[in-house]
Amino acid sequence: MLIDFFYTLRAGKLPVSVKEFLALLEALERGVIGPKAEQPTSMEDFYHLARTILVKDEKHYDKFDRAFAAYFKGVEMLTDYRREIPEDWLRQLLERELSPEQKAAIEAMEWDELMQTLKKRLEEQKGRHEGGNKWIGTGGTSPFGHGGYNPRGIRIGGKGGGKSAVKVWDARMYRDYDDSQELGTRNIKVALKRLRKFARTSAELELDLPGTISATAANAGWLDIKMVPERHNSVKVLLLMDVGGTMDEHIQRVEELFSAAKSEFKHLEFYYFHNCVYDFVWKNNRRRFTEKFDTWDIIRKYNKDYKLIFVGDATMSPYEILQPGGSVEYHNAEAGAEWLQRLTGAFPQHAWINPEPQGVWGYRQSIDLIGQLMGGRMYPLTLKGLEDAMRMLSK
């Protein structure tokens, strides 16, 4: 049985060796889990044991999750997260399609009214609720819950769909972008090469052919070899990447961009954020709440000669940009717009790369807001868009 599991992992491009697979079989044989184990065993136990033995780097966790799910046909395998809202409320048991008249009848609340109403509902509601237009539940028209419809609401658990929720009450797991992603085309690298400024640094490792010829001629034909330091791209890049949520639709293209950037720029620093930058960023998505990097420290640490590049779809509720407390994950004391202005002020050469098709930009209020905050320096994640962005940053 597990032979096919091994080949499924290899088909998912996981670097799993035969030796590691044999170690997994030995663990099962010794009763770490399974029939010989002292405690009852679940599929979740096997998932964690297999991942511990077979996966050598955290960046491959997502590939392992997908391969595991594909082989065991969707078995739930991730540990549960603690939520303030009972999980049983969050299961979607009702899919409801509303007519245009019904949708038009739903009135969108403003931010302060929305938060006050949520607080009141949480105090009043005693049980689970499905459908309807008031209580926190599933499939209804209330601004609170999930699986229903409301133009402005607070999604509590579940999977989003309208891309307009202003709060997501759910502990989600994002994954780091894979910097080893093989590029399907060299075009991204070619576009990034426009942002180059070479300088000779470090030890003398490269033959200086013109200098050697001149020195040999001046030395009456006796060979006089001259060396010079190797040429490196001296451009410094600070890359801030949006991750999770609607960015899941663009993972492959962003990974290609990330891989190309790591190979082209010797001086590259990168951090993650979600939707909009606030008072902290992170480098590892699985430890984003325990290993935070203060945004003020980022501004102080890197000189203004760094080129600041944001990568994100800028698709969110406008509250996340303009409103304190607008973050979907925690209460931010200052609006995202304040932090974007501080960052762009600290790094004069900046640009925003947007993987969303440029044709939809005019229909997204948040994209328009981000574009204004960036001074119009927003470019699509296309060959021409990257070339235009690199040309602007190289000035």
Side-chain angles (χ1 to χ4, degrees), residues 216-268:
T216 301
N219 200 26
W222 287 95
L223 182 62
D224 188 358
I225 296 177
K226 299 295 182 182
M227 304 292 289
V228 294
E230 187 178 3
R231 297 171 76 241
H232 293 286
N233 190 351
S234 62
V235 167
K236 301 175 182 178
V237 174
L238 176 59
L239 187 64
L240 301 184
M241 296 178 288
D242 184 6
V243 65
T246 55
M247 283 297 291
D248 288 349
E249 302 171 13
H250 311 292
I251 285 177
Q252 181 177 355
R253 296 170 66 207
V254 176
E255 285 185 338
E256 290 178 353
L257 175 63
F258 188 30
S259 295
K262 291 200 75 172
S263 66
E264 288 299 317
F265 304 123
K266 180 181 179 181
H267 305 286
L268 173 69

Side-chain angles (χ1 to χ4, degrees), residues 90-365:
L90 308 181
R91 296 180 183 176
Q92 185 166 347
L93 301 179
L94 181 64
E95 292 185 2
R96 179 176 181 179
E97 292 186 3
L98 304 179
S99 67
E101 292 77 14
Q102 289 175 308
K103 292 181 180 180
I106 299 173
E107 184 176 359
M109 297 181 181
E110 293 301 324
W111 176 260
D112 293 337
E113 183 184 0
L114 196 66
M115 297 307 294
Q116 288 298 323
T117 305
L118 172 61
K119 182 179 179 181
K120 185 178 179 181
R121 298 276 168 87
L122 286 173
E123 293 172 352
E124 294 177 355
Q125 186 169 344
K126 303 302 181 183
R128 172 180 172 170
H129 189 75
E130 301 173 7
N133 60 8
K134 179 179 180 181
W135 296 116
I136 302 166
T138 61
T141 60
S142 166
F144 315 108
H146 81 85
Y149 173 83
N150 197 291
R152 292 181 190 168
I154 296 177
R155 174 160 57 86
I156 301 180
K159 183 177 180 180
K163 300 183 180 180
S164 63
V166 296
K167 276 283 181 185
V168 180
W169 203 321
D170 193 14
R172 292 175 296 168
M173 181 63 72
Y174 308 142
R175 71 180 181 92
D176 296 345
Y177 289 127
D178 188 351
D179 58 6
S180 65
Q181 174 73 25
E182 289 294 328
L183 299 180
T185 175
R186 295 182 63 252
N187 287 345
I188 294 180
K189 283 189 174 184
V190 172
L192 295 181
K193 286 182 184 295
R194 293 185 178 275
L195 186 59
R196 290 186 295 181
K197 184 178 180 181
F198 287 109
R200 295 191 182 277
T201 57
S202 72
E204 296 180 348
L205 300 174
E206 191 174 85
L207 175 65
D208 179 9
L209 184 57
T212 299
I213 293 173
S214 298
T216 301
N219 200 26
W222 287 95
L223 182 62
D224 188 358
I225 296 177
K226 299 295 182 182
M227 304 292 289
V228 294
E230 187 178 3
R231 297 171 76 241
H232 293 286
N233 190 351
S234 62
V235 167
K236 301 175 182 178
V237 174
L238 176 59
L239 187 64
L240 301 184
M241 296 178 288
D242 184 6
V243 65
T246 55
M247 283 297 291
D248 288 349
E249 302 171 13
H250 311 292
I251 285 177
Q252 181 177 355
R253 296 170 66 207
V254 176
E255 285 185 338
E256 290 178 353
L257 175 63
F258 188 30
S259 295
K262 291 200 75 172
S263 66
E264 288 299 317
F265 304 123
K266 180 181 179 181
H267 305 286
L268 173 69
E269 300 291 341
F270 70 91
Y271 298 90
Y272 294 106
F273 65 94
H274 179 58
N275 284 359
C276 192
V277 179
Y278 300 110
D279 54 303
F280 70 92
V281 291
W282 58 91
K283 273 187 170 291
N284 187 306
N285 281 294
R286 293 184 178 270
R287 297 193 290 268
R288 72 183 190 279
F289 292 118
T290 57
E291 295 182 3
K292 304 176 182 178
F293 294 85
D294 193 291
T295 307
W296 271 123
D297 291 341
I298 301 298
I299 293 174
R300 297 186 186 103
K301 180 177 180 180
Y302 302 108
N303 297 327
K304 64 180 182 180
D305 59 342
Y306 271 82
K307 319 283 187 180
L308 175 62
I309 301 177
F310 296 90
V311 179
D313 60 6
T315 299
M316 67 198 86
S317 164
Y319 290 128
E320 296 180 59
I321 304 170
L322 302 175
Q323 181 73 40
S327 168
V328 297
E329 295 193 306
Y330 75 110
H331 183 84
N332 53 298
E334 296 179 283
E338 295 289 336
W339 289 105
L340 287 174
Q341 289 174 341
R342 288 169 184 155
L343 285 162
T344 55
F347 304 98
Q349 292 179 302
H350 55 266
W352 188 291
I353 307 298
N354 193 331
E356 279 287 293
Q358 197 168 5
V360 307
W361 290 8
Y363 300 95
R364 305 266 175 86
Q365 185 180 356

